[in-house]
Amino acid sequence: MLVLLPPSEGKAPSGSGAPLKPESLSLPGLAEARAAVLDELVELCVADEEKAREVLGLSEGLRGEVAKNAELRTAGARPAGEVYTGVLYDALGLATLDAAARERAGDALLVFSGLWGAVKVTDRIPSYRCSMGIKLPGLGALGAYWRGPMASVLPEAAGGGLVLDLRSSAYATAWRPKGEVAARTATVRVLHAPTRKVVSHFNKATKGRIVRSLLEAGAEPGTPAELVEALRDLRYVVEEGGKTGALDVLVDEIH
């Protein structure tokens, strides 16, 4: 099983240890594309703070993010699973998983990123600010930029099992499963059962809990249908949507 996750907008500070080693990141087929984004982002943030703030869509209060990007090559790195924070990652609670579940998380979870393309939660990266929705002056819109590199790397990374796609729409633009990979890809929508409405906060939190539940149970569904069975076994209320692989998880309480 491969689980595709969005990053978080907010991130924990960079670590105090060794800086980024690009060659150590997973999915080495993305290395050239990563280097190009990193080079342009660092150069932009070093050369012109105001332009960088405009390109990155940062408010005056987030001006410090530009300086953080300028130091990406020398800032301390830490596991991506520690860098990404926010509602989904709080609910996922990687740090509190037992050893076996953490090992499964290292194999199964892939976080999409405007800067790195995609990384595993065990990959060591510095804290950064670069969403998939921005347009760099030289490379253009990052969602479009990443499509070519992703198309050559992700099908192999998907292996032969289920692909559970929990990405937000901006990050889904970078790679859309096709062919036989699409046939074994599942997406999840979280609905408030009484109203059948999507609410952003508990949508993210529930997705985090779903991933945690699957990791703790050691579940290895190979198809969307097997995922439905696994989630029901874990006491989730699941309905199959109108499209193949589209699942609705119903929750009674907003929390």
Side-chain angles (χ1 to χ4, degrees):
M1 177 176 66
L2 183 68
V3 182
L4 311 181
L5 297 174
S8 57
E9 192 72 15
K11 299 172 184 69
S14 292
S16 58
L20 171 73
K21 295 181 179 178
E23 69 278 6
S24 72
L25 298 179
S26 302
L27 305 180
L30 300 178
E32 184 176 345
R34 286 171 177 149
V37 180
L38 180 62
D39 286 347
E40 182 168 355
L41 181 63
V42 171
E43 182 179 347
L44 172 68
C45 292
V46 168
D48 191 332
E49 183 178 284
E50 287 304 317
K51 182 177 180 180
R53 193 161 67 86
E54 179 182 348
V55 168
L56 296 171
L58 300 175
S59 66
E60 177 65 30
L62 293 173
R63 182 181 292 272
E65 298 292 280
V66 176
K68 181 167 70 175
N69 281 349
E71 298 175 351
L72 282 171
R73 291 195 179 89
T74 57
R78 61 198 299 183
E82 297 177 12
V83 171
Y84 295 117
T85 59
V87 175
L88 187 153
Y89 290 91
D90 285 347
L92 173 53
L94 287 170
T96 61
L97 291 171
D98 64 32
R102 281 200 303 273
E103 183 175 355
R104 287 190 283 269
D107 292 335
L109 306 188
L110 196 63
V111 184
F112 274 61
S113 162
L115 174 53
W116 314 115
V119 292
K120 291 192 172 184
V121 293
T122 51
D123 285 334
R124 296 182 63 85
I125 59 173
S127 183
Y128 67 95
R129 188 69 171 235
C130 183
S131 71
M132 191 69 79
I134 71 169
K135 182 183 291 187
L136 290 175
L139 297 177
L142 289 179
Y145 170 80
W146 280 111
R147 285 176 200 151
M150 292 288 191
S152 66
V153 171
L154 265 292
E156 181 178 354
L162 176 77
V163 176
L164 176 54
D165 189 352
L166 301 180
R167 296 172 297 166
S168 54
S169 58
Y171 290 88
T173 63
W175 181 63
R176 299 189 188 279
K178 296 181 179 180
E180 62 89 18
V181 179
R184 50 185 168 84
T185 296
T187 59
V188 171
R189 184 174 63 161
V190 182
L191 303 180
H192 184 218
T195 64
R196 285 302 200 276
K197 290 182 179 180
V198 174
V199 180
S200 177
H201 179 88
F202 81 93
N203 173 56
K204 293 177 182 178
T206 302
K207 287 179 178 177
R209 294 187 191 104
I210 285 171
V211 176
R212 183 182 178 93
S213 296
L214 292 169
L215 293 171
E216 288 180 324
E220 287 289 347
T223 64
E226 291 177 6
L227 176 62
V228 171
E229 293 180 10
L231 291 177
R232 287 174 176 166
D233 287 344
L234 292 167
R235 305 181 72 82
Y236 288 93
V237 179
V238 185
E239 295 178 353
E240 297 186 57
K243 296 181 180 179
T244 302
L247 309 180
D248 288 340
V249 173
L250 307 181
V251 296
D252 290 322
E253 297 180 3
I254 300 177
H255 58 86

